[in-house]
Amino acid sequence: MINKNILDKLVQLIENSIASEDWINWWSQNELLVKKEISPRWFLKIKPKMAQGIDGATLISQNNTKDFLKSINQDFKVSSGNNYKLNWEKSINELSEKEEIDFKIYFENNFKNLNKEYPNLYSAIKENFSGNGDIVKKEFSKEDILQKSFSKYLTEEIINYFTNISLLQSDGITFNLEFIDFKNDEYLKIGELWLYNDGDEILIKKNSNEVYLNNIGSKQIKILNNSFYNFIESTLTDFINDN
């Protein structure tokens, strides 16, 4: 038989008669007692997952508590009251909006030179990136890049790009100076751009501005652009704008 105080609190959670903060506080004070009263399986399901925030954690607890109470044939009534789902969605939206604002401030403050040299790319990132999983970093000077083993195979045009953006990452896009690698004796892999398949690779010929696509589906390497600069300002920019 489950402790009545615990059972009453679980019913309150289901019936929306306890605030999220109160549920989290109650759990932190009674977690060990709950662990003794119910099976490990249900304990782990009901335990608040704080990575989801207070309202998200309460919502997960509520959903799993409902199943638990049904499993032990405990009656309860779902009534209007605290709407954990709406509160959680609101908090997520507010967080997303804050991340987007913070990203735009960071981008505008740190990539002014990119606006001068790659205006199309700058505009595409500014308009489409939100900071929610999107990453843009400027970490290396020209001198830093020239110290890397592969630098002798990079043209001035390509080195200049990576001094402006050392890491560009979003859905289907990864260009990371740190991960440049030799594809074979002829090509360097400088990133991925999923134009046709997940994992499509962007290659350059050594000491050349020519840009190639390694199509993972057809396993063919085809030229994309004779100019690295045009590849950035056209192909890459179009991909960001269209996705």
Side-chain angles (χ1 to χ4, degrees):
M1 187 71 179
I2 296 175
N3 180 290
K4 185 177 185 302
N5 290 332
I6 292 176
L7 197 58
D8 288 346
K9 190 61 64 175
L10 295 180
V11 171
Q12 285 180 33
L13 179 65
I14 292 300
E15 295 183 345
N16 298 300
S17 59
I18 180 173
S20 296
E21 293 83 357
D22 294 337
W23 162 250
I24 300 301
N25 288 335
W26 178 88
W27 180 272
S28 65
Q29 295 170 13
N30 295 273
E31 181 173 358
L32 294 179
L33 180 58
V34 176
K35 192 172 186 177
K36 294 178 181 178
E37 292 288 318
I38 65 178
S39 70
R41 171 175 173 265
W42 284 114
F43 172 81
L44 292 174
K45 282 179 172 290
I46 295 172
K47 181 177 180 176
K49 312 300 187 292
M50 295 310 298
Q52 301 299 321
I54 289 177
D55 291 304
T58 305
L59 177 63
I60 292 172
S61 293
Q62 185 188 53
N63 289 336
N64 289 319
T65 297
K66 186 182 296 184
D67 292 336
F68 170 66
L69 293 182
K70 288 179 179 178
S71 74
I72 62 172
N73 298 315
Q74 172 64 43
D75 293 333
F76 58 85
K77 295 180 180 178
V78 178
S79 58
S80 60
N82 296 289
N83 194 317
Y84 309 121
K85 185 172 187 295
L86 285 180
N87 292 339
W88 176 69
E89 290 174 345
K90 181 181 177 182
S91 65
I92 290 296
N93 290 336
E94 289 175 349
L95 180 61
S96 296
E97 289 173 4
K98 184 180 184 303
E99 287 183 354
E100 184 169 354
I101 291 171
D102 289 346
F103 174 82
K104 290 190 182 301
I105 292 173
Y106 157 78
F107 183 67
E108 290 174 356
N109 287 340
N110 291 278
F111 292 86
K112 293 177 181 178
N113 195 60
L114 182 70
N115 191 25
K116 298 176 183 177
E117 300 203 33
Y118 296 90
N120 291 344
L121 177 62
Y122 178 90
S123 297
I125 294 173
K126 184 178 178 180
E127 292 300 318
N128 295 283
F129 278 32
S130 65
N132 299 308
D134 302 320
I135 303 174
V136 184
K137 290 185 178 181
K138 178 182 178 182
E139 303 165 292
F140 303 101
S141 66
K142 180 178 179 180
E143 290 72 26
D144 295 329
I145 296 174
L146 290 175
Q147 292 179 14
K148 296 187 178 297
S149 61
F150 52 75
S151 64
K152 62 183 178 181
Y153 300 111
L154 303 181
T155 66
E156 284 290 325
E157 192 169 292
I158 296 172
I159 290 173
N160 182 60
Y161 167 79
F162 281 109
T163 61
N164 280 279
I165 296 184
S166 58
L167 172 59
L168 179 66
Q169 186 171 309
S170 188
D171 287 341
I173 302 171
T174 302
F175 289 92
N176 189 340
L177 178 71
E178 297 280 58
F179 291 164
I180 289 180
D181 197 10
F182 295 94
K183 182 69 178 178
N184 51 39
D185 291 338
E186 188 175 7
Y187 298 101
L188 290 175
K189 176 184 173 180
I190 63 168
E192 293 187 359
L193 189 64
W194 298 358
L195 292 175
Y196 304 105
N197 313 275
D198 292 0
D200 283 347
E201 299 174 336
I202 297 299
L203 312 177
I204 55 168
K205 276 190 174 180
K206 294 177 180 179
N207 303 114
S208 168
N209 287 321
E210 293 178 348
V211 182
Y212 292 79
L213 176 74
N214 180 24
N215 187 311
I216 299 301
S218 64
K219 298 182 180 180
Q220 292 182 323
I221 296 176
K222 292 187 176 182
I223 191 165
L224 280 179
N225 207 303
N226 290 316
S227 164
F228 183 82
Y229 179 86
N230 290 338
F231 162 74
I232 296 297
E233 283 289 86
S234 180
T235 306
L236 178 58
T237 296
D238 288 346
F239 186 92
I240 293 172
N241 286 328
D242 293 341
N243 292 273

